[in-house]
Amino acid sequence: MANSALASLTPETGKDSINIGLKADYRKSMAQDLSEILAATYRLTIKSHVYHWNVVGPIFKPIHDLTEAHYNALFADTDIIAERIRALGHLAPVNFDMTKSFAPTKSDVNQASAHDMVNDLIKDHEEAVRDARKAAGKAGDNDDVVTEDMLTARLTFHEKALWMLRAIISG
């Protein structure tokens, strides 16, 4: 991620003293991890929406329907993730200048087959699984059961999405 993108995701703490049984340094670190997961979720939401609009070919309908379900679920997830960042005592990212780089380019979409689009979504969902699993482990190690549970739900969504995407393009 570019330095400007990382800077815009740096969690900022409020002025309140928080005593919820989680150490301040852990809360700051997890807020940073969740901010990066939030940005990746937005990227995947936008990409899923763009592919939903532009997929063509004999498997158009199942991809069109699945990507619609995915971008709606992903958009709802952004609120859940941002609210957890706030509950940890940090500001959710407020600067999304880098969003212009979230969507595939017109030439990418023009040259992508339905299979290419699905494979690209698979790549992003796999990355989301790896990042959520790592953050969930960290949450568990720090007795942050709320964040761990939230991330488990995100993992469940992404792993099911991967199964469905792979099934659509299986030979």
Side-chain angles (χ1 to χ4, degrees):
M1 209 179 264
N3 285 338
S4 64
L6 285 176
S8 69
L9 296 175
T10 301
E12 297 180 28
T13 188
K15 306 232 184 308
D16 298 308
S17 167
I18 296 176
N19 183 5
I20 59 173
L22 300 172
K23 294 179 181 173
D25 60 336
Y26 162 76
R27 289 186 294 104
K28 182 177 183 180
S29 175
M30 181 53 69
Q32 178 65 42
D33 293 347
L34 293 176
S35 293
E36 291 172 10
I37 288 170
L38 179 62
T41 302
Y42 266 112
R43 281 192 301 276
L44 189 51
T45 303
I46 292 167
K47 188 179 283 187
S48 296
H49 212 156
V50 169
Y51 288 164
H52 165 82
W53 290 325
N54 292 297
V55 67
V56 295
I59 58 175
F60 160 80
K61 183 67 172 150
I63 295 172
H64 184 77
D65 291 347
L66 187 59
T67 53
E68 181 174 13
H70 286 179
Y71 70 70
N72 284 324
L74 288 161
F75 187 74
D77 289 347
T78 62
D79 193 52
I80 293 166
I81 298 164
E83 288 178 357
R84 186 61 192 153
I85 295 166
R86 293 296 294 142
L88 291 172
H90 295 273
L91 292 177
V94 295
N95 181 354
F96 286 103
D97 287 342
M98 71 288 210
T99 57
K100 65 182 174 229
S101 68
F102 281 9
T105 66
K106 182 178 178 181
S107 87
D108 289 341
V109 172
N110 278 342
Q111 297 174 18
S113 70
H115 281 79
D116 293 337
M117 291 177 182
V118 170
N119 282 322
D120 190 37
L121 292 171
I122 287 171
K123 177 186 66 69
D124 287 358
H125 280 284
E126 286 177 338
E127 183 178 353
V129 165
R130 290 189 304 272
D131 292 345
R133 190 175 313 285
K134 182 178 175 186
K138 180 177 170 180
D141 291 345
N142 286 277
D143 297 323
D144 183 0
V145 295
V146 175
T147 301
E148 185 178 26
D149 184 56
M150 179 204 65
L151 290 166
T152 299
R154 305 290 65 79
L155 280 163
T156 302
F157 167 77
H158 288 293
E159 288 184 352
K160 185 175 180 181
L162 284 163
W163 160 55
M164 292 182 170
L165 289 164
R166 287 186 179 112
I168 285 176
I169 61 168
S170 69

